[in-house]
Amino acid sequence: MTRVRRSPQDIAANRARYEEHQKKGLEYAPKALPGTSPLPAPEIAPDKIIHREVIPGGWYWSTHINKHEVFRVSLDSGFSTLSLIAWSAAETSERLNLPDTMKVQWTTVLGKGRVIFSDMGRVMFSVTEDSSGAHDGVVGGSTSGSNAAKYGEGTRNTRDNLILLATKAGLDKRDIPPALALFAPVRVDRNGAFAWKPELLHEGDYIELRAEMDMIVGFSNCPHALNPDKVYRPNPVTVTRIAATEPRSGDFCRTATAEAVRGFENNARAAV
């Protein structure tokens, strides 16, 4: 295979185009996102609760969610990291895409006011509430190898859990996208290394994700690979499915960035 060598001029021109595109994206973006959601989490009206699932530590769960319904994921029983993956219910070849989610919003920090994209440029979730902003879309979930190195043999891990839930949904392990780790306080330090920042978390943290299409969603409740705790002790995590409410005109998540606007335009076109 012939390797194409780019001239310094080509590299400089590509960098200039990238920097101009980044500048435009950042200028469009809001100067400040909404603050984190208040604690404790407000009560959900009983008639709005469709289902409530408590996922035990080390286990997994999958379900369907319909457009404009909401998942509240809450740490009601102490700290744990819950990994999430999703597929379009209409066409499961369309799936969660975290690299695009971060790239087009110019940030690795996903919190209130952000959206989560599919690999077809459509919006899957809007983050409508979030008390921490401490979520990881870069490192991914644990594996049998990472668990064995830290805890020894015999503990459940995110990768194997996701394979099991995908299989039960009629999918293959090749259909599994990189997982979003909720309540995983990962940040990148000045040297480009990943750092675990537990001070970003609070007792009773929660996040609410509004579905922007009908989806199959999977969750795995296993410790994050970067969690420094050497003891395997994930706590139960509560996932509440809340009845749909039509988003308000000018909804912040839909207008915060140019890419979010385009993503929702793609959603609208696909619905026609």
Side-chain angles (χ1 to χ4, degrees), residues 44-265:
I44 304 170
D47 63 335
K48 295 294 185 182
I49 297 174
I50 298 173
H51 179 76
R52 178 167 280 154
E53 187 78 15
V54 178
I55 305 174
W59 289 84
Y60 64 91
W61 179 62
S62 63
T63 188
H64 283 72
I65 190 169
N66 297 322
K67 182 178 178 180
H68 294 164
E69 292 176 351
V70 172
F71 280 133
R72 176 186 287 182
V73 182
S74 50
L75 301 184
D76 299 337
S77 303
F79 171 71
S80 206
T81 293
L82 190 72
S83 296
L84 175 153
I85 56 175
W87 300 270
S88 165
E91 177 50 74
T92 53
S93 63
E94 182 177 7
R95 63 199 71 172
L96 185 76
N97 188 312
L98 294 176
D100 281 358
T101 293
M102 294 177 288
K103 177 177 66 180
V104 303
Q105 295 177 106
W106 305 102
T107 182
T108 59
V109 179
L110 299 178
K112 185 176 178 180
R114 295 298 187 189
V115 296
I116 300 171
F117 285 89
S118 77
D119 56 4
M120 299 297 289
R122 300 201 297 154
V123 179
M124 301 190 90
F125 290 106
S126 292
V127 184
T128 56
E129 299 291 346
D130 179 28
S131 63
S132 72
H135 314 294
D136 169 42
V138 180
V139 177
S142 61
T143 65
S144 58
S146 68
N147 271 21
K150 186 183 295 185
Y151 311 113
E153 301 293 338
T155 58
R156 300 181 68 93
N157 67 84
T158 294
R159 177 63 180 172
D160 288 344
N161 277 353
L162 297 184
I163 291 173
L164 289 170
L165 72 83
T167 301
K168 290 181 179 180
L171 301 167
D172 187 84
K173 64 182 179 180
R174 293 172 296 182
D175 298 312
I176 299 172
L180 173 61
L182 303 175
F183 312 111
V186 176
R187 292 292 185 265
V188 181
D189 66 20
R190 292 180 178 273
N191 298 318
F194 294 119
W196 186 261
K197 309 286 284 185
E199 65 271 18
L200 298 176
L201 296 168
H202 319 90
E203 184 178 352
D205 269 332
Y206 68 103
I207 185 172
E208 292 189 1
L209 302 168
R210 183 179 65 216
E212 303 296 355
M213 63 176 72
D214 297 350
M215 286 180 284
I216 303 167
V217 183
F219 299 94
S220 172
N221 182 9
C222 293
H224 192 276
L226 296 186
N227 187 336
D229 190 347
K230 300 298 184 182
V231 179
Y232 187 90
R233 47 184 171 189
N235 289 305
V237 177
T238 303
V239 181
T240 305
R241 182 178 168 194
I242 304 170
T245 301
E246 188 73 21
R248 296 178 180 178
S249 176
D251 179 84
F252 186 88
C253 293
R254 292 170 171 251
T255 58
T257 67
E259 291 296 345
V261 172
R262 282 192 283 271
F264 280 106
E265 289 172 349

